[in-house]
Amino acid sequence: MTTHHGQSGPRARRAGLGVPTLATGSREAPATAGRVGMVLSILREPRTLRIAAVTLLVASPALFLRLWALNALGLNSDEAVYAGQGASLARDPAFLPYFPVFRAHPLLFQTLQSLEYRIFGVSPLGGRLLAVAFGMATVWLTYAIGTRLYGRRVGVLAALLIGLMPYTVVVDRQILLDGPMTFFTGLALYLLIRFVQTDRTTWLYGAAGALGLATLTKETAILLLAGAYAFFALTRKARVRPKQVLIAMAVYALTVLPYPISLMLAGRSSTGGSFLTWQLLRRANHPWSFYATTVPPALGLGVVAVVVLGLLVVHRSLSWSEHLLLTWMLGPVLFFEIWAVKGFQYLLPVAVPMAVLAAMTVVSLPLPELTWRGRAADVWLRGAVALALVLSLAATTWTRIQPAATGSSFLAGTGGVPGGREAGAWVADNVPDGAGLLAIGPSMANIIQFYGHRQVLGLSVSPNPLYRNPVYEAVDNPDLRIRRGEANYLVWDSYSASRSSFFSESLLTYKDRYHGQIVHQEFVTVDTADGPIRRPVITIYEVRP
């Protein structure tokens, strides 16, 4: 397999326009006309037009899918937490009582959100647009990585694949940390490739800094260190000396250092330790087969099949490029498969290497000699496979981003929650200040708190501090809270009920015991054998002792 180094385009041609200066008494109009003429001459060049066309071909569908009906549904629980943190960092008094700055993860993305919120005001749409910007930057990085390793054709196809991929599009449309983290891990991968190709240590240290920024976005990016270590341990293409490793690790540590320092200065260092303990002791939230059944369709079954086929065909002649891409995926895949807690978006960093490997296979995989048509048949076959991949990804993604909700189940990380924004807005307009609300769990509680600006507690939060997120407050005695008038409303939702029937039944028991009356409901349309029906997904009861 032939590995191509990066190709730098020809330098821009400079026209000797000889613009006169004011000192000679010349008018400014000829200078302006000269500049316009230079721009037009550049735009007329075939290469410039080709680059513009390819850019539009890749960027337009990628951006369209990320923006389509972006704000049709309200925030989900994780989005509400990160958006609420950004609002608290911006010192918005409406969010400070409900969303502490220090919660589960580092704060780079939330800090960027807070800067946006200070300028334009707190807006969930603004947070989602920031996530979209990171997603589009990742598309460009994928092009750069593919071009550096295998040439421009692979780069363009890889960018198109990741731009249309359901996995990246769905996550990039949400206020989540995984999309921005994937951008920074992709940047680290690109800089590492430059180091291997040039042997200039500046690129290695830049890769360490980029990986540090990824860790400041979400701490699980530290797993990519295992991939870098495995690559240098296996490859003969590049060698790193101990001194270089120490400096790179120092750069990484200095980049990550602001987060633990901020925790200590804020007196919240115990929060980080408590969160780590809770994460290690959490019960499994999905079966071991979760990633095997969920992630391949999100990556695109065609993409996965092409990558597997390509690796099988050339497994005896893999170059350092394939070794790097495969080892880059190794750490996250192994860790999250072994770890009991699994999330839909946790493996997002593998999307970039998968897109590049799929594009390389389609463009460069050696094919059997096609004597009946020769080279033309080879080109048409590769083009047909590429088109099939692109169309299948686009069709799958289109179905996944539609805002219409037809069911009551919800997988965390896959989109907004129907009815949550509307229920929270009702709470803000109708629930008196100081009234208490109880929900089935913290997921709906976060959403109602973000939109409703009222404290909401979750019944499912464990009273044992070892088994709960340290930022959540346990409800030790719901009966007593209701009798004392500290809990005036109960919030039932079908999404939490489908995951925790015990606490759903408990909440409904309190509703019956304390004469709960429905004061608000949110509905979705569900298709049944008898036709579409409206089904309540969120119900708010008012209870009285």
Side-chain angles (χ1 to χ4, degrees):
M1 180 174 297
T2 303
T3 302
H4 302 281
H5 293 289
Q7 305 170 16
S8 58
R11 295 181 180 178
R13 299 171 184 171
R14 300 184 181 182
L17 298 176
V19 179
T21 63
L22 292 177
T24 63
S26 301
R27 297 179 180 179
E28 189 177 356
T32 303
R35 295 189 190 99
V36 172
M38 180 176 65
V39 171
L40 292 176
S41 65
I42 292 174
L43 291 177
R44 290 194 195 101
E45 293 188 13
R47 181 176 178 275
T48 302
L49 294 175
R50 187 167 59 250
I51 292 174
V54 170
T55 301
L56 288 175
L57 172 68
V58 174
S60 298
L63 184 60
F64 173 78
L65 290 175
R66 284 163 175 78
L67 293 180
W68 170 261
L70 183 63
N71 206 38
L73 294 179
L75 304 182
N76 60 46
S77 177
D78 288 342
E79 287 186 284
V81 168
Y82 301 136
Q85 279 184 288
S88 293
L89 283 166
R91 312 307 297 173
D92 190 311
F95 296 89
L96 279 168
Y98 313 110
F99 295 95
V101 169
F102 297 102
R103 290 176 70 107
H105 302 291
L107 298 170
L108 179 57
F109 181 67
Q110 296 91 317
T111 301
L112 295 176
Q113 269 194 109
S114 72
L115 299 177
E116 178 188 359
Y117 290 165
R118 285 179 181 273
I119 299 173
F120 302 106
V122 176
S123 165
L125 178 59
R128 284 177 170 172
L129 288 174
L130 181 60
V132 167
F134 273 103
M136 293 302 296
T138 302
V139 173
W140 178 85
L141 265 177
T142 306
Y143 164 78
I145 292 169
T147 301
R148 272 279 154 192
L149 291 178
Y150 304 109
R152 285 194 177 90
R153 290 183 180 180
V154 171
V156 170
L157 181 56
L160 194 54
L161 294 179
I162 203 164
L164 303 177
M165 187 179 290
Y167 206 6
T168 55
V169 173
V170 168
V171 177
D172 288 344
R173 290 165 54 86
Q174 302 174 69
I175 305 176
L176 296 177
L177 307 182
D178 305 86
M181 179 190 69
T182 299
F183 165 76
F184 287 116
T185 58
L187 179 61
L189 177 60
Y190 173 77
L191 296 174
L192 196 59
I193 292 168
R194 296 299 301 268
F195 167 69
V196 175
Q197 291 178 337
T198 64
D199 201 31
R200 293 177 56 185
T201 54
T202 305
W203 296 114
L204 177 65
Y205 304 149
L211 198 54
L213 292 175
T215 307
L216 274 182
T217 306
K218 191 172 183 178
E219 71 282 358
T220 53
I222 196 173
L223 300 171
L224 277 302
L225 288 174
Y229 172 82
F231 169 71
F232 286 114
L234 294 174
T235 187
R236 297 181 180 179
K237 174 66 178 178
R239 297 294 184 189
V240 288
R241 295 184 294 274
K243 180 181 178 181
Q244 295 173 329
V245 174
L246 290 176
I247 295 176
M249 293 305 298
V251 171
Y252 174 81
L254 287 173
T255 307
V256 175
L257 197 58
Y259 182 61
I261 288 179
S262 63
L263 280 176
M264 289 187 293
L265 292 178
R268 301 300 299 270
S269 56
S270 61
T271 300
S274 300
F275 178 76
L276 177 61
T277 302
W278 168 67
Q279 289 282 44
L280 293 176
L281 296 177
R282 285 177 67 183
R283 296 185 179 92
N285 59 342
H286 292 290
W288 66 270
S289 59
F290 175 78
Y291 288 124
T293 57
T294 305
V295 172
L299 291 169
L301 293 177
V303 169
V304 175
V306 165
V307 170
V308 172
L309 176 63
L311 294 176
L312 289 176
V313 171
V314 298
H315 70 280
R316 294 185 178 179
S317 57
L318 295 179
S319 70
W320 68 267
S321 302
E322 292 80 64
H323 287 148
L324 176 57
L325 296 174
L326 291 172
T327 55
W328 198 251
M329 296 186 285
L330 183 66
V333 170
L334 289 181
F335 178 84
F336 286 115
E337 182 57 39
I338 295 172
W339 196 29
V341 180
K342 306 183 190 304
F344 171 76
Q345 70 272 27
Y346 290 176
L347 291 183
L348 192 65
V350 310
V352 172
M354 287 292 292
V356 174
L357 285 171
M360 177 274 298
T361 301
V362 172
V363 174
S364 306
L365 182 70
L367 295 176
E369 193 67 30
L370 301 175
T371 56
W372 61 284
R373 285 287 180 89
R375 177 173 173 77
D378 180 271
V379 173
W380 279 103
L381 179 59
R382 295 181 191 277
V385 174
L387 182 61
L389 287 180
V390 168
L391 293 178
S392 65
L393 290 177
T396 304
T397 300
W398 180 250
T399 60
R400 292 200 177 196
I401 64 173
Q402 297 309 305
T406 58
S408 59
S409 61
F410 176 75
L411 178 61
T414 56
V417 174
R421 174 175 56 195
E422 293 75 13
W426 183 89
V427 168
D429 293 337
N430 296 277
V431 173
D433 291 335
L437 294 92
L438 291 179
I440 296 174
S443 295
M444 185 54 61
N446 288 329
I447 297 171
I448 300 298
Q449 285 186 152
F450 182 86
Y451 289 108
H453 309 302
R454 303 290 189 276
Q455 185 182 34
V456 187
L457 301 180
L459 287 177
S460 64
V461 177
S462 173
N464 187 338
L466 295 178
Y467 296 101
R468 73 165 184 261
N469 188 321
V471 301
Y472 293 140
E473 178 183 343
V475 184
D476 294 327
N477 194 329
D479 270 298
L480 185 60
R481 283 180 178 268
I482 295 174
R483 289 198 300 269
R484 287 178 173 176
E486 298 172 358
N488 314 100
Y489 296 87
L490 305 180
V491 182
W492 179 92
D493 69 283
S494 61
Y495 315 109
S496 300
S498 65
R499 298 193 303 269
S500 179
S501 59
F502 173 80
F503 289 104
S504 172
E505 293 171 2
S506 297
L507 184 135
L508 294 177
T509 298
Y510 296 129
K511 180 264 296 185
D512 294 333
R513 183 177 303 167
Y514 295 103
H515 316 291
Q517 299 294 318
I518 296 176
V519 291
H520 184 74
Q521 284 186 299
E522 294 294 335
F523 296 84
V524 298
T525 301
V526 179
D527 293 325
T528 67
D530 299 326
I533 62 171
R534 298 183 72 214
R535 177 175 295 173
V537 289
I538 300 174
T539 301
I540 301 177
Y541 302 93
E542 184 176 8
V543 291
R544 299 181 184 276

